[in-house]
Amino acid sequence: MVEQDWGEGPRLDMVYGIEWLIDQKLAERDKLFLMGGSFGGYMALLLHGRHPEYFRAVVDIFGVSNLFTFYTSVPAFWRPLMEKWVGHPERDQEKMTADSPITYLENMTRPMLIIQGANDPRVVKEESDQIVDQLKDLGRDIDYLVMEDEGHGFSKQENKVMAFTAIFSFFEKHRLSAAAGALE
């Protein structure tokens, strides 16, 4: 259902779900931690850029940051599939721009942890590099963990432990900093 609708329908489904949680008093705006991997990493970036008011901190694991560079980074024989998934860079320029998280850098104000496999053939390292570099240029709070011996996912137990330890520490740091801020 996400084919050529990576950024609209799924994003709004997430927003409606978050609003429902808030309406049910199960969550509070500006206090949620957001994390996703692969398409979920892409969605974490897009939600952060388009709806930062919901989140305290964000973790992106192997997520696409720019649909144009994502499209051009895959092998040529994947391009028909990419066109089916995200669109064609020339014919669908407006939609791909609107659906690319990198379009919304100015809104990405929450602390972020980005995790990337250096050997990822699906979401190449440059996808994470470009968003990390541009957010750092904007003075944002960005932690970047590159796993030199991983691809798209965690194939090694020690890397899985390292990644989830980093995620836990990141969330704990921002939970405690928020608690300290509430006491002031």
Side-chain angles (χ1 to χ4, degrees), residues 55-79:
F55 309 109
R56 178 170 313 271
V58 178
V59 175
D60 156 39
I61 307 167
F62 316 118
V64 173
S65 64
N66 181 329
L67 294 181
F68 294 97
T69 56
F70 179 50
Y71 180 94
T72 59
S73 70
V74 300
F77 67 90
W78 285 18
R79 299 258 167 85

Side-chain angles (χ1 to χ4, degrees), residues 113 115 145-150 154 156-169:
L113 168 62
I115 300 173
L145 175 58
V146 177
M147 299 190 164
E148 296 299 330
D149 58 349
E150 286 292 3
F154 305 115
K156 298 169 181 61
Q157 184 64 25
E158 61 272 14
N159 288 340
K160 190 180 295 185
V161 169
M162 181 185 357
F164 285 107
T165 299
I167 292 165
F168 176 81
S169 297

Side-chain angles (χ1 to χ4, degrees), residues 50-102:
R50 305 239 8 218
H51 308 280
E53 68 276 8
Y54 291 113
F55 309 109
R56 178 170 313 271
V58 178
V59 175
D60 156 39
I61 307 167
F62 316 118
V64 173
S65 64
N66 181 329
L67 294 181
F68 294 97
T69 56
F70 179 50
Y71 180 94
T72 59
S73 70
V74 300
F77 67 90
W78 285 18
R79 299 258 167 85
L81 178 62
M82 295 302 296
E83 189 171 335
K84 185 175 180 183
W85 280 357
V86 301
H88 187 276
E90 292 169 7
R91 284 192 307 273
D92 303 308
Q93 183 176 8
E94 186 175 325
K95 176 99 174 99
M96 288 176 67
T97 299
D99 289 350
S100 289
I102 206 153

Side-chain angles (χ1 to χ4, degrees):
M1 292 186 66
V2 300
E3 288 182 2
Q4 292 198 3
D5 187 23
W6 272 39
E8 187 70 13
R11 176 181 58 82
L12 293 176
D13 283 348
M14 298 296 293
V15 170
Y16 296 143
I18 292 167
E19 284 294 335
W20 183 87
L21 291 169
I22 292 169
D23 290 346
Q24 301 301 308
K25 310 285 190 241
L26 297 171
E28 293 181 47
R29 189 178 311 278
D30 192 35
K31 296 194 177 177
L32 298 172
F33 291 105
L34 176 61
M35 179 173 83
S38 194
F39 177 81
Y42 157 80
M43 187 55 61
L45 291 171
L46 189 62
L47 285 165
H48 184 200
R50 305 239 8 218
H51 308 280
E53 68 276 8
Y54 291 113
F55 309 109
R56 178 170 313 271
V58 178
V59 175
D60 156 39
I61 307 167
F62 316 118
V64 173
S65 64
N66 181 329
L67 294 181
F68 294 97
T69 56
F70 179 50
Y71 180 94
T72 59
S73 70
V74 300
F77 67 90
W78 285 18
R79 299 258 167 85
L81 178 62
M82 295 302 296
E83 189 171 335
K84 185 175 180 183
W85 280 357
V86 301
H88 187 276
E90 292 169 7
R91 284 192 307 273
D92 303 308
Q93 183 176 8
E94 186 175 325
K95 176 99 174 99
M96 288 176 67
T97 299
D99 289 350
S100 289
I102 206 153
T103 301
Y104 307 99
L105 289 171
E106 290 294 326
N107 298 336
M108 293 184 185
T109 57
R110 306 303 193 231
M112 291 180 69
L113 168 62
I114 296 180
I115 300 173
Q116 179 67 47
N119 303 313
D120 191 335
R122 292 186 194 124
V123 180
V124 297
K125 182 176 173 286
E126 289 75 16
E127 281 297 309
S128 292
D129 290 348
Q130 66 182 308
I131 202 157
V132 167
D133 292 345
Q134 290 182 48
L135 286 169
K136 283 185 175 182
D137 287 348
L138 291 170
R140 302 299 197 269
D141 182 0
I142 305 294
D143 294 336
Y144 190 26
L145 175 58
V146 177
M147 299 190 164
E148 296 299 330
D149 58 349
E150 286 292 3
H152 194 73
F154 305 115
S155 63
K156 298 169 181 61
Q157 184 64 25
E158 61 272 14
N159 288 340
K160 190 180 295 185
V161 169
M162 181 185 357
F164 285 107
T165 299
I167 292 165
F168 176 81
S169 297
F170 175 79
F171 282 150
E172 188 66 6
K173 171 184 157 184
H174 293 290
R175 183 189 68 81
L176 293 173
S177 67
L183 295 175
E184 293 177 354

